[in-house]
Amino acid sequence: MLQLSLPQAMANADTVMAFAELPASPGEVIAALVTREVERWWGSPETYLMTGWSADMRVGGSWHVTVRTADGRRLPAGGEFLEIEMPRRIVQTRRYDCHPALGRKETTVAYLFEPIDSGTRLTICHGGFDGFPDAAAEHADGWARVLGWLRQYLEQFQEV
């Protein structure tokens, strides 16, 4: 079995970049990210959980989810799909009704799915944090954690 590198993320003042090698096909990774499947793995009781996922998976279609924090707060989030090039790329907007660090500022998340021998290399470019460098740093930490959860989730379906 090939060894996968650990998920990584970094931020500058306005953009977060995150990377992970995942043990699944691009189609499986996409399904885990943009269908109700996201509720099975995105989060932990100690941090936050995703609930109520819905998406109209087409350019111009909207998506919605509620982030339930460990302290019981509910943070509705949503956005619009800007680009869908299956199975290579998805770009969507993201905005929370009231994020602790961003308020209602809209950001843009681009997912790039690249087939590799061990599965898929996922690259995420999350931009739009200009004027919110602390939020960018927070999201870099968050993406590294999320990609770890995603990898752990996908690994359970692989044969030993």
Side-chain angles (χ1 to χ4, degrees):
M1 180 181 235
L2 294 171
Q3 182 67 25
L4 299 174
S5 63
L6 293 175
Q8 300 176 33
M10 64 194 100
N12 63 21
D14 57 25
T15 303
V16 175
M17 293 293 293
F19 313 88
E21 292 178 353
L22 302 168
S25 71
E28 292 167 322
V29 174
I30 290 167
L33 287 167
V34 296
T35 70
R36 282 197 75 122
E37 191 173 341
V38 75
E39 293 181 38
R40 294 184 201 151
W41 64 268
W42 193 314
S44 72
E46 305 82 39
T47 56
Y48 46 83
L49 297 169
M50 298 294 188
T51 63
W53 173 265
S54 68
D56 178 4
M57 205 42 204
R58 63 180 176 82
V59 173
S62 64
W63 66 273
H64 303 277
V65 72
T66 299
V67 178
R68 194 176 73 231
T69 64
D71 64 6
R73 290 177 294 142
R74 294 187 182 282
L75 305 172
E80 177 182 338
F81 292 102
L82 301 177
E83 297 176 39
I84 299 174
E85 299 173 30
M86 294 297 213
R88 187 175 103 42
R89 177 180 158 97
I90 296 173
V91 180
Q92 65 190 69
T93 61
R94 175 179 287 187
R95 187 182 77 230
Y96 295 89
D97 284 355
C98 188
H99 187 275
L102 281 172
R104 294 182 51 84
K105 181 167 178 48
E106 186 173 86
T107 59
T108 302
V109 181
Y111 299 99
L112 179 62
F113 308 92
E114 178 186 357
I116 57 176
D117 288 342
S118 57
T120 301
R121 179 176 294 115
L122 172 60
T123 303
I124 298 168
C125 180
H126 190 169
F129 293 97
D130 50 306
F132 295 87
D134 292 344
E138 172 194 321
H139 277 75
D141 291 342
W143 278 119
R145 185 173 44 251
V146 164
L147 291 175
W149 290 331
L150 176 57
R151 186 158 124 184
Q152 183 177 17
Y153 172 74
L154 293 170
E155 283 173 343
Q156 71 184 333
F157 302 109
Q158 302 307 308
E159 292 187 354
V160 206

